Amino acid sequence: MIDYLKILALSVQEGAEAAKADIMPAELVGPTGVFTKISNTLLLVIGVISVIMLIYGGFRYIISGGDNKKVTDAKNTILYAIIGLIISLLAYAIINFVIAAITGQTVNLNS
């Protein structure tokens, strides 16, 4: 059974290599692969937006002047920004875990 899976994996890899054009990147998945770079960049952008919204919510809270509606809106902005930041961090960890599991390599989280 294991030999059959190895043969199947090799034939799939050979087919992918045969279909690859000259301008395609050599590695799509892996620590330096295209998919990893794109997903990490998108998650970085989401994290930056979450931090900006957290600062914006804090600014709204400071200038609310004690108005209950403005305070509530500012608190909701801060809450949703924190939730977005947590989700982006978890998504980053999950994506890198899956990529490491697929490739069998460790992923450098500092890249």
Side-chain angles (χ1 to χ4, degrees), residues 45-59:
V45 169
I46 292 169
V48 168
I49 290 171
S50 294
V51 170
I52 290 171
M53 291 304 295
L54 185 62
I55 293 169
Y56 175 68
F59 182 71

Side-chain angles (χ1 to χ4, degrees), residues 9 15 24 26-27 34 36 41 44 46 49-51 55 60-61 64-65 69 83 90-92 96 102-103 106 109:
M24 288 181 68
E27 191 174 322
V34 174
T36 304
T41 303
L44 175 71
I46 292 169
I49 290 171
S50 294
V51 170
I55 293 169
R60 285 179 60 187
Y61 188 77
S64 66
K69 173 135 175 54
I83 290 171
L90 289 174
Y92 178 78
N96 284 315
I102 289 173
T103 61
T106 59
L109 297 177

